[in-house]
Amino acid sequence: VQRYAIKSPIIVSHIRQANRGRICLENTHPFGRELWGRNWVFAHNGQLRGVKRLPLGYYRPIGTTDSEHAFCWLLGHIRERFPDAPRRPAGLWRCIRELALELNRLGVFNFLLSDACYLYAHCGTQLSWLTRRAPFGEARLMDADITVDFRAETTPNDVVTVIATRPLTDNESWTVMQPGTFAI
């Protein structure tokens, strides 16, 4: 990652504490599946009690995490409701929000989901975000003695939004999402 610059409209990554499921490649976030010819990716922070009792349809987990089971359940329900990609995204957005609220009843369900067109974020308990635009400056990480100079990492045309469980830097203004919030 340090040697190769990644430029993409949407990037989803996840640092996992591994408190459910074995530590192995198949349990590594983000999880990915195909729907409507699009790559969908999903990363989840939290624990969902009883999620594995929810019946699955088309999609099956490869690993053993509650997160991947929730993703397969969620994407399966989207596929059932929309066999083809909807022409207007608002119905899909409502569907994802409703399914997120249903899964949120099982425990802590903070997630990022992307269909390669949109990035969806659901705050079950805690998520924070910030958007960086030119003129870019330095960001100082909270939990390490590291400062990143974004002037050297970006162009004046870049707009970068970061979503994390908690704020990552101590010299920038993060927005803390309210529990139950769904953002696109």
Side-chain angles (χ1 to χ4, degrees), residues 2-147:
Q2 288 180 333
R3 282 184 256 139
Y4 301 101
I6 298 172
K7 291 283 188 176
S8 176
I10 300 172
I11 297 172
V12 175
S13 67
H14 183 281
I15 298 172
R16 181 172 179 251
Q17 289 183 341
N19 52 16
R20 294 281 190 270
R22 287 185 317 112
I23 297 173
C24 56
L25 184 59
E26 58 267 23
N27 286 340
T28 302
H29 299 233
F31 301 104
R33 298 290 189 281
E34 180 275 334
L35 175 61
W36 313 318
R38 296 183 202 161
N39 288 317
W40 288 68
V41 294
F42 175 86
H44 163 237
N45 171 325
Q47 298 84 36
L48 298 171
R49 291 175 299 282
V51 72
K52 291 185 179 180
R53 290 192 289 268
L54 295 177
L56 297 176
Y58 184 82
Y59 298 98
R60 299 278 184 233
I62 297 167
T64 59
T65 65
D66 57 342
S67 301
E68 188 180 19
H69 192 97
F71 175 45
C72 290
W73 182 87
L74 181 75
L75 204 57
H77 276 74
I78 293 168
R79 182 187 180 104
E80 283 178 24
R81 174 102 182 262
F82 301 99
D84 298 307
R87 292 179 187 220
R88 296 190 182 130
L92 173 61
W93 300 343
R94 279 191 300 277
C95 175
I96 294 171
R97 184 176 192 286
E98 290 166 8
L99 294 169
L101 292 173
E102 190 171 337
L103 287 171
N104 197 64
R105 292 186 199 119
L106 300 177
V108 176
F109 195 51
N110 303 301
F111 74 78
L112 299 178
L113 172 70
S114 177
D115 63 358
C117 295
Y118 297 96
L119 177 64
Y120 310 94
H122 173 73
C123 175
T125 55
Q126 57 183 6
L127 279 182
S128 299
W129 65 271
L130 70 78
T131 298
R132 296 182 180 114
R133 291 181 166 82
F136 292 97
E138 291 185 343
R140 189 175 54 245
L141 292 179
M142 282 184 172
D143 60 354
D145 189 20
I146 297 174
T147 300

